[in-house]
Amino acid sequence: MTTYEKRQDVPEQEKWDLTDLYASEDDWQKDLDDVLAYARELKAFDGHINDGATLFAYLKKQEEMAYKLQHVFAYTMFLSDIDTRDAHAQQLSAKASQAGVKVSEATAFFMPFLLSLDEDTLQQYIREEERLGYFEDSLWKSFRYKPYVLAKEQEELLSKLGETLGAPADTYNMLNNADIQFGLVTDEDGNEVPMTRGMYSKRIEDEDREVRREAYKAYYKPYVELNNTIATNLAAEIKTNTTLAKIRGHDSARSQSLFGDNIPVNVYDHLLAAAKANIQPLHDYTTIRKEKLGVEELRQYDLNVPLVPDMKVDITYDEAYDTMLEALAPLGDDYINVLREFRDKRYIDVRETAGKKSGAYNMGVYGVHPFVLLNYHDDLSSQFTLVHEMGHAMHSYYSNKHQPQITANYRIFVAEVASTVNEVLLIQHLLKKNADQPDMRKYLLNHFIEQFKGTFFTQVMFADFEKQTHERAEAEEPLDANSLNELYESLFRAYHGPELVFDDEVKYGWSRIPHFYRAFYVYQYATGFVSAIDIAMRILDGDQETVDNYLAFLRSGSEDFPLELLKKTGVDLTTPGPVENAMKMFSDTVAEFKQV
């Protein structure tokens, strides 16, 4: 495996060229100074927007500021991420953050001002200033919130309570990340040592069942001990959500959360109903897992150990990139040619080195290009990560190229579609390429099943938990440790099937999920995943219309609401069809895995 001790040892071709953003730090400083000047100028509009021309002047200046602010933030983030120990990079990052705070303070007046207008006045402004046509769609999308905005004095009061209302999430983050102490486990020398999250992720996949059991017990120990405290905290978060929704006049906390993307609640309901109606293949997989592990009783700490040993295949970065180009060929020559240029033009920071941020991400910088961070390790897992992130990068590239700044950013609801389409195309390509390699084929099938389980079924189970807990709060039913434990355990049983024998810790699983403090978010992982599978399988069937529509989708940014953009690809999430199509693919994959 290719490794480098120091960043200077990494070939230039495998490192970002940040001069694409700024040729020098002096240039960065100039933009930072401009952002601060913009903040002062924008603040001066407060109380002085009374016609179309002034409204346009504010919006135009705000967009110019946002362009430079994104560049300023991106540059400091990239510098920090390539070496998190770099004190100078941290200083620049702090300056960028301070500028962001000043901008937020300077522009905080605008949304309350806009929503204080009546519809006729806004229409008059747009008629008298034709240049507002560029901003018109954005203005009306913001104006949708008007029925749910309170009187100025009430809004100011809620604003002052903002920090207090966010206390449950802040408390949980501090508790979960700083204060929790896991139990003890036995190290390789027979000594008892404290469990860490990093240790847990490895030990829960260990072939030795006793190692897994010990890690599981140690990991859940603090969540069991703090059950009442965390339950009280989550209940406060849920009650805050439901109370704010009621105050603003929404039907429910869920409808308030879905309002921004214009998602009907029946999309959420279709997702849950279709998953439950097609749960049997997941239960079958649980049975297969029990059989392949050869255990008398399947327990939760048996659910993460790989059923197929990791394929120790050395895949160089260039080999992985070339394979990706082959796998994604059905997307057409333009897609492949652009993707090939990403490697040549140094849009990707490839190698892990001391101090570099872990994981992987893509960030599309408008007016420049996407920047992709990897920690490539010459293995299959890294190959899939490469393909995943390049899906995001191509989405950013096409949206930024074809959309004006105001609609270039795509919504979270559709963000995972492009990355998952790429992964499905890759895995189908590799399955075909390794048709005569049974061990590799078995590994790939298991990889896809586990991805499906984690990205779809687990997220739907979480979404089900969120729905039911908020409905109980809205019905003024008690939310305490016992009720939360019982609900989570019943959902875990329903989703995983009768073969699983429960340890007491299972029911505490809800208490370790930070996403529950960002309510009604996780369902988007599942909707994005099934949408991508639906699109990818039609592409692999040779449907050129789907290819054309999918590429148009990648170019669309946020020019329409997410459901409408997906409908243009042939995916209608207001119906059960896309979920059921994905369920069929999952069922077929599980059946094939059982036979290999």
Side-chain angles (χ1 to χ4, degrees), residues 386-447:
L386 168 67
V387 168
H388 180 100
E389 295 304 333
M390 299 316 291
H392 288 309
M394 289 298 291
H395 197 176
S396 296
Y397 170 83
Y398 276 123
S399 287
N400 287 351
K401 180 180 179 181
H402 293 276
Q403 292 295 319
Q405 184 178 340
I406 197 169
T407 54
N409 287 334
Y410 45 84
R411 304 285 290 181
I412 293 294
F413 191 92
V414 299
E416 293 303 317
V417 173
S419 56
T420 306
V421 164
N422 276 15
E423 287 199 68
V424 174
L425 294 179
L426 174 65
I427 202 162
Q428 294 300 320
H429 174 77
L430 293 176
L431 284 169
K432 185 176 181 179
K433 188 175 180 180
N434 292 278
D436 59 347
Q437 302 290 326
D439 289 343
M440 176 62 80
R441 187 171 182 84
K442 188 185 303 183
Y443 175 87
L444 292 168
L445 290 169
N446 195 213
H447 173 91

Side-chain angles (χ1 to χ4, degrees), residues 462-505:
F462 291 163
D464 206 344
F465 181 83
E466 289 182 311
K467 176 178 182 287
Q468 293 193 48
T469 51
H470 281 78
E471 286 176 344
R472 291 182 183 188
E474 285 158 350
E476 299 185 355
E477 296 177 12
L479 284 178
D480 54 24
N482 287 335
S483 64
L484 293 172
N485 292 346
E486 290 171 4
L487 173 59
Y488 191 83
E489 183 174 9
S490 69
L491 287 171
F492 207 93
R493 288 186 185 279
Y495 279 82
H496 289 83
E499 289 289 357
L500 198 62
V501 177
F502 277 35
D503 289 82
D504 191 54
E505 287 85 356

Side-chain angles (χ1 to χ4, degrees), residues 25 28-29 75-76 79 87-97:
E25 189 176 314
W28 174 86
Q29 183 65 51
Y75 185 71
T76 62
L79 282 177
H88 182 63
Q90 298 301 325
Q91 291 170 358
L92 297 185
S93 182
K95 287 185 178 181
S97 296

Side-chain angles (χ1 to χ4, degrees), residues 213-225:
R213 190 197 70 79
E214 184 186 51
Y216 175 75
K217 297 290 183 181
Y219 180 72
Y220 273 87
K221 182 175 182 289
Y223 296 108
V224 175
E225 293 173 343

Side-chain angles (χ1 to χ4, degrees), residues 83 169 178 183 260 304 365 518 558 561 574 585:
D83 189 349
N304 296 91
V365 180
R518 190 177 179 182
S558 58
F561 288 113
T574 63
M585 183 181 188

